[in-house]
Amino acid sequence: MELSEIRTRIDTVDDQLLALFLQRMDLSDEVAAYKNEHSLPILNKERERGILARVTEQAGERERYVYHLFSTLFELARSRQAELINAPTMVGAQVRTSLEAGTELFPQTGLIACQGVEGGNSQAACDRLFPRGRLMYVKTFEAVASAVESGLCKFGVLPIENSSNGSVRSVYGLLQERKLSIVRSTRLCIRHELLALPGVKMEDITEIYSHQQAIGQCSRFLEGLKGVKVIPCDNTAAAAKLVGESGNRHAAAISSHPCAALYGLECVDDHIQNSDNNYTRFVCVTRNPVIYAGANRISLILAFENKPGALYEILSKLAALDINMTKLESCPVVGSDFEFIFFLELEADTRDPSVLAMLEEMERSCAQFQFLGSYAEV
């Protein structure tokens, strides 16, 4: 048989498959209506498992392909049913309230809580997010969260992830505990330099100050030093300020180039970080959830039952809607044995009904579900 003839027969089968698929989805709509009326859950794992056992037994040596085909059909049907189910969810209410609270344009000014001192990377992130913002400097990430939570500041800016050193777990912990909402994010290229008082040479230095994240991002350089004590402090700019004001000619700071001029220091070495491709993401948080125009990114924290296929069930929901996942990171739950929560970031718009339905179904099926916000990155 010629290839063209085989393809003609495939086209005929495809037409039949399409008609049967649409018929199956129509029946799935009827199932959703019944579940709505009787308050039944969308997922019926026992029935799905029974169907998979039946069709794979009939498939012979192609059972693997049949298994994946029917698993995909189930996920598509569940995604459609999620759009039709009327059961209220917390995330549904939160998203609708946030969309109503949002304005067309993101604010350009306001009082912003910023960890550190003048010259820090957090200050640079604040300036990018709020060109006319008024900054209130505080000492710790916890103080940023408290200033926003109390209403003292409308916004707060926090580092959440570094391309070289991973997530800032303490910030994720604050977002989880304080119920703050992400409304914007930005990404800065970070350049670390070793700064000291004018005239100080590398061989003079016996102690280096910096933030823990910067220390991690320059770990290879620091590991190569002998007899030098590395001392963590609150902020890279605070480290530069400390060294500048101390008069100590045996001290240095890992900080940024602008901090040298700010605090009367000179660069001893400007090639100290592990990677030149070193970026830190900062998020802007508020007390009341708001979704501004242009939001196309979603952040979530999830936890689900520790069983085979649990993570796949979450990821398959994204695949069914062609949603790109930009972050997936597990974090152990303190005080438990091998239990984890997951940080997820998605490229998706909550204004899309199918996306909101997916989030609602995630909330229904996960042991823990927290919607951190929908926002744009600038």
Side-chain angles (χ1 to χ4, degrees), residues 78-340:
R78 277 190 256 115
S79 296
R80 173 59 178 164
Q81 288 180 29
E83 294 181 39
L84 302 174
I85 292 294
N86 297 325
T89 60
M90 291 180 63
V91 68
Q94 185 177 347
V95 166
R96 293 181 185 98
T97 301
S98 300
L99 287 169
E100 291 171 2
T103 58
E104 285 300 312
L105 296 176
F106 188 77
Q108 298 293 294
T109 188
L111 184 59
I112 302 103
C114 176
Q115 187 267 344
V117 296
E118 187 73 21
N121 293 315
S122 289
Q123 175 245 304
C126 287
D127 289 347
R128 177 175 290 185
L129 290 165
F130 298 94
R132 301 189 301 278
R134 294 174 291 119
L135 304 189
M136 187 183 82
Y137 290 110
V138 295
K139 191 172 183 181
T140 63
F141 297 152
E142 290 83 358
V144 171
S146 295
V148 175
E149 192 176 39
S150 68
L152 179 61
C153 294
K154 185 173 182 181
F155 302 102
V157 171
L158 293 163
I160 198 168
E161 180 181 22
N162 177 263
S163 58
S164 301
N165 213 39
S167 294
V168 185
R169 293 286 177 85
S170 60
V171 171
Y172 269 107
L174 286 171
L175 293 175
Q176 189 177 10
E177 295 163 10
R178 304 295 186 90
K179 310 299 183 185
L180 300 175
S181 181
I182 301 174
V183 294
R184 203 76 156 179
S185 71
T186 192
R187 189 181 301 258
L188 293 183
C189 182
I190 306 298
R191 295 291 304 171
H192 294 305
E193 297 183 2
L194 188 67
L195 307 180
L197 291 169
V200 170
K201 305 297 183 185
M202 190 67 234
E203 56 268 24
D204 301 326
I205 297 169
T206 59
E207 55 191 52
I208 295 175
Y209 296 84
S210 196
H211 186 266
Q212 194 66 57
Q213 279 280 326
I215 291 169
Q217 293 159 29
C218 302
S219 59
R220 287 201 291 269
F221 167 78
L222 294 172
E223 287 165 3
L225 301 179
K226 303 297 182 184
V228 176
K229 186 177 181 181
V230 179
I231 305 168
C233 61
D234 294 331
N235 182 274
T236 55
K241 184 178 181 182
L242 184 153
V243 171
E245 293 176 350
S246 71
N248 185 352
R249 301 188 64 79
H250 297 289
I254 295 175
S255 191
S256 65
H257 187 75
C259 283
L262 274 174
Y263 300 112
L265 304 176
E266 289 182 352
C267 178
V268 179
D269 193 337
D270 62 357
H271 291 86
I272 62 172
Q273 59 193 38
N274 296 348
S275 170
D276 289 334
N277 187 33
N278 186 20
Y279 287 83
T280 295
R281 284 185 61 224
F282 292 82
V283 292
C284 174
V285 297
T286 63
R287 179 175 62 175
N288 300 317
V290 182
I291 299 176
Y292 291 98
N296 59 359
R297 200 180 193 103
I298 295 170
S299 288
L300 307 169
I301 296 179
L302 305 179
F304 36 79
E305 188 179 349
N306 187 7
K307 63 178 183 179
L311 180 58
Y312 171 78
E313 289 180 8
I314 298 297
L315 300 184
S316 63
K317 298 180 192 300
L318 308 180
L321 296 176
D322 290 324
I323 292 175
N324 185 37
M325 180 175 60
T326 57
K327 180 184 181 71
L328 172 63
E329 183 175 342
S330 63
C331 177
V333 177
V334 177
S336 67
D337 294 329
F338 303 107
E339 290 185 15
F340 294 85

